Amino acid sequence: MGAGPTRTRFVLALPAALGRPSRRTGASGSGWLGLAATVAIGLALFGGLALRAGSVDGFHYYRSIRAGDRYATPGQLLPGQRAGHGDGYDGQFYFFIAQDPFLRNPATAHSLDNSQRFRRILYPLLAWLLSLGNRSLLPYLLVLVNVLASAATVAACAVAARRAGRPPVLALAVAIFPGLWVPILYDLTEPLQLALVAWGMLLEIPVLLFLSALAKETTAVVQLTEMIRNAAARSWGRALQHGFLLGLVVAWSLFVLRAVQTRQSNLQGHLLDPPGAPLLELIRAASAPGRYAFLLPPILICALAIVRFAGTRDRFAAGAALYGLIGLAAGTDTWTDPWAITG
């Protein structure tokens, strides 16, 4: 279980989707009406997907959690909820944390496969806050947060397209990308991460990048490049903001690594395990061609982000290129788990 390419690598699509902001309003469809319609369509698509996911288990949304008996204990499951045999999937860990975000029960930390789950505290913490302590609401709230976050990501891209003088409807390309809608099906953190990083870059608000990193730590590389970019431009105040917030992310990660006793703890995840994992998976996919639909888009996006940096120096290029390098360095587990779940 890892950070799948159909999910995480989508971050690299954002700089290209956002484009280079300008004062131009663009042609037909780029006005506020077109923007509102684009967001409404995206929201309808994500909401429809959530309804379809709920329909498979009577709208309990236990299927999205995918609890496995290797990690789940009876006390962590809701009445009528059953743990499947085996590992389950990543969403179960955020469901466990959302019930006990302050780890008052030692069983919560022990039920996590890796301390990185708690490092991504923002998503389960937000669900917990919205539930007002009523854990029976959590399966619905975990899905709702992701539906709204996915729509917010489309909204950010639509606003960016309008600023760049392009039709906002182009942002719907983001809505159909698996990196945004697959996490809705499995209660994953990426939609919230992406919404926050998209708006943080669009509005140039450092704290949104910080919050995005609390949803998933990989946003820290974007905060790092923003710190360097602002320092190079002698915008010292903004550079210091990014540096301070980046320091908080590092401190939080180290604190979780030392203080939260899960079954496994590390900082590096599955990087270079082994080197060249995405290319190896492309070769192996020859026996199951359907896998190319999941593998090729993120690999191409990573490569495009790196190549784009050579010829483009807008404020999105550096963060996208560095994220692209990290994406291509991800290990086999990262590049295969979306196929294992959805294939």
Side-chain angles (χ1 to χ4, degrees), residues 5-174:
T6 62
R7 294 156 19 206
T8 310
R9 287 341 122 198
F10 168 73
V11 172
L12 301 174
L14 292 176
L18 295 176
R20 185 175 299 185
S22 72
R23 295 290 183 181
R24 295 180 291 126
T25 58
S28 162
S30 62
W32 290 110
L33 183 60
L35 193 154
T38 297
V39 176
I41 293 171
L43 184 59
L45 288 172
F46 299 130
L49 186 66
L51 291 174
R52 177 67 182 86
S55 68
V56 301
D57 68 349
F59 295 98
H60 294 296
Y61 287 97
Y62 298 156
R63 180 76 177 273
S64 297
I65 295 169
R66 287 184 176 259
D69 59 10
R70 180 181 177 186
Y71 297 103
T73 63
Q76 292 172 310
L77 302 177
L78 297 172
Q81 184 180 11
R82 300 279 190 274
H85 180 66
D87 290 345
Y89 199 54
D90 298 6
Q92 65 182 320
F93 305 120
Y94 306 116
F95 174 64
F96 301 155
I97 296 170
Q99 297 181 61
D100 181 24
F102 301 106
L103 302 182
R104 294 190 176 97
N105 184 348
T108 302
H110 183 68
S111 68
L112 305 181
D113 66 334
N114 194 299
S115 61
Q116 70 177 3
R117 308 299 177 187
F118 195 76
R119 200 161 65 214
R120 302 167 185 177
I121 186 64
L122 188 63
Y123 175 52
L125 181 62
L126 181 57
W128 174 79
L129 287 170
L130 293 173
S131 75
L132 299 177
N134 184 351
R135 73 188 193 116
S136 66
L137 296 178
L138 290 174
Y140 307 101
L141 290 171
L142 289 168
V143 174
L144 178 62
V145 167
N146 275 346
V147 167
L148 295 178
S150 297
T153 303
V154 171
C157 293
V159 169
R162 183 175 184 273
R163 285 188 179 185
R166 302 185 181 99
V169 71
L170 293 176
L172 290 179
V174 171

Side-chain angles (χ1 to χ4, degrees), residues 238-261:
R238 187 61 62 88
L240 286 173
Q241 289 181 56
H242 283 292
F244 174 73
L245 294 170
L246 183 62
L248 290 182
V249 172
V250 172
W252 168 249
S253 299
L254 293 174
F255 170 77
V256 171
L257 182 68
R258 295 293 299 273
V260 181
Q261 301 302 311

Side-chain angles (χ1 to χ4, degrees), residues 208-250:
L208 291 182
L209 298 183
F210 166 71
L211 291 174
S212 177
L214 293 185
K216 190 167 184 177
E217 64 285 341
T218 43
T219 300
V221 300
V222 180
Q223 192 120 51
L224 173 64
T225 57
E226 282 296 282
M227 179 188 72
I228 295 172
R229 184 182 67 83
N230 279 281
R234 299 184 181 276
S235 180
W236 302 116
R238 187 61 62 88
L240 286 173
Q241 289 181 56
H242 283 292
F244 174 73
L245 294 170
L246 183 62
L248 290 182
V249 172
V250 172

